[in-house]
Amino acid sequence: MSGTGPAPVEVGAERARELARAELAGPEYAEARPGLLEQAYAAVLEWLSGLSAPVGPSPVRTAAVVVVLLAVLALVALALRAVGRPALRQHRTGALLQGAARTAADHRTAADEAAALGRWDEAVKERFRAVVVALSDRDLAPSPTATPGLTAAEAAAAGGSALP
């Protein structure tokens, strides 16, 4: 008795696409999908195979891919470091008070002038310097001139312990 099974189901093209999308959206397919690193590795292998190299992974090809990826990562790191955050880098390496010794009033005046020009970074730094010099004048914090390279964190810690 051949041919006595159920009649085949006929589905339109749009309905078939919907059913396929629903099926492929399942978690078992997402887990089987290669990760970003695997996809990048496959893309590089494909590119290298286009350079008339033998097909398939080999130790030389794998080493070449690793070297290329490391070079790209190094370039990205250098670019990010160069662009970086120059203000933060200056804060970490620069002393709080540099140059000739100035009074707290001098720093307040410089802060007001910078604020009037809209240079807020400079205004905040000068105002903080005025506070540090004023604390030093009252012997509540180390003198910036006697402590070369005093950082903002050190000055804040000394001032915070004197005036919690």
Side-chain angles (χ1 to χ4, degrees):
M1 288 183 117
S2 69
T4 60
V9 178
E10 292 189 25
V11 177
E14 188 58 36
R15 177 70 179 141
R17 275 195 277 294
E18 290 174 18
L19 290 171
R21 280 190 194 109
E23 173 66 24
L24 294 174
E28 63 274 7
Y29 293 105
E31 292 170 6
R33 188 175 301 131
L36 186 60
L37 192 57
E38 290 174 287
Q39 290 176 3
Y41 179 74
V44 170
L45 281 181
E46 184 178 327
W47 175 74
L48 287 174
S49 69
L51 299 176
S52 71
V55 179
S58 71
V60 172
R61 181 173 292 152
T62 302
V65 168
V66 169
V67 168
V68 168
L69 287 176
L70 288 176
V72 167
L73 288 175
L75 288 174
V76 168
L78 287 174
L80 289 175
R81 185 174 177 192
V83 171
R85 298 187 334 210
L88 180 61
R89 201 176 322 121
Q90 180 184 8
H91 171 73
R92 279 188 283 183
T93 60
L96 173 63
L97 296 168
Q98 296 174 339
R102 294 174 14 187
T103 66
D106 292 338
H107 286 293
R108 282 191 291 274
T109 301
D112 292 341
E113 290 171 359
L117 296 172
R119 297 190 320 242
W120 299 109
D121 282 352
E122 184 180 338
V124 169
K125 288 176 188 175
E126 287 296 330
R127 186 60 68 169
F128 186 76
R129 290 172 178 151
V131 169
V132 171
V133 170
L135 286 172
S136 172
D137 290 345
R138 295 169 48 197
D139 291 328
L140 297 175
S143 169
T145 54
T147 314
L150 180 70
T151 65
E154 293 166 339
S161 64
L163 299 171

